[in-house]
Amino acid sequence: GLAELRQVNLGVALPTTFGGIGITASSFGYSALRESRLSISYGRSLANNLRIGGEIIGLNTGIEGYDSRFNATFALGLQIDLLPELSVGFRAYSPIRIETVEDEFLPQLFTLGFSYQPNKKLLLLAEVQQDRDVTTRVNAGLEYLMTEQFNLRFGISTGPAEMSFGFGYKVNELIHIQVAARYHETLGVTPGVGLVYEGK
């Protein structure tokens, strides 16, 4: 409920003959402190069970009364299907240490994730995330498809402890609505809403 913590995201994914291209833009904060992010990503399948991707990211921080600061970094990832119902993925965000100002650096995140779908209605997810300068964080979640149009989601995280919950509603073949909320032990409840348009 704090305007100072508002975040807005916009993303577009486009299929091509040689893979998929994504463009995302986000803005976090308010007039006195605003963090903006723009990225271009590319991913493709190398085999039926192996996928790779990469992303180039531009980050800008603006503080009222000071010059804005721009930094660029990149991320790499891969995903492999160990079984038809089990996938594992790895992502390295900003693997090269980048100093933003003296003695301050961009986060270096290394993430190992798992996806397990025992049946068409249930999806289980888990990941371990390591930042070079922060303790290990574990995220876990599940998605349950109640009907063809409606699903429920629940998640937990450590370091700091958080819980999240939400649902997705498929209006039609083109439009999906996503609603979620996250509970943080200090910040309380943070709501979120998303709209997805899937062109044909």
Side-chain angles (χ1 to χ4, degrees), residues 106-123:
L106 289 179
Q108 283 184 285
L109 302 176
F110 300 92
T111 305
L112 181 66
F114 301 88
S115 169
Y116 178 63
Q117 188 168 17
N119 55 59
K120 292 183 178 180
K121 288 185 173 292
L122 183 63
L123 177 63

Side-chain angles (χ1 to χ4, degrees), residues 27-68:
S27 174
F28 172 79
Y30 64 120
S31 58
L33 172 61
R34 185 169 305 281
E35 297 178 355
S36 303
R37 181 183 190 275
L38 180 66
S39 70
I40 299 175
S41 57
Y42 172 78
R44 64 168 299 164
S45 295
L46 296 182
N48 289 336
N49 66 338
L50 178 63
R51 295 164 290 279
I52 61 169
E55 184 179 24
I56 298 173
I57 305 150
L59 305 161
N60 189 76
T61 302
I63 302 174
E64 195 172 43
Y66 296 87
D67 292 335
S68 61

Side-chain angles (χ1 to χ4, degrees), residues 37 55 57 59 73-77 90-98 105-112 127-137 139 159:
R37 181 183 190 275
E55 184 179 24
I57 305 150
L59 305 161
T73 188
F74 67 97
L76 300 171
F90 175 77
R91 181 174 186 255
Y93 173 87
S94 196
I96 298 174
R97 197 156 172 83
I98 296 176
F105 301 87
L106 289 179
Q108 283 184 285
L109 302 176
F110 300 92
T111 305
L112 181 66
E127 72 173 16
V128 179
Q129 187 180 81
Q130 180 63 59
D131 186 326
R132 175 169 174 163
D133 300 318
V134 182
T135 58
T136 303
R137 182 174 172 87
N139 304 310

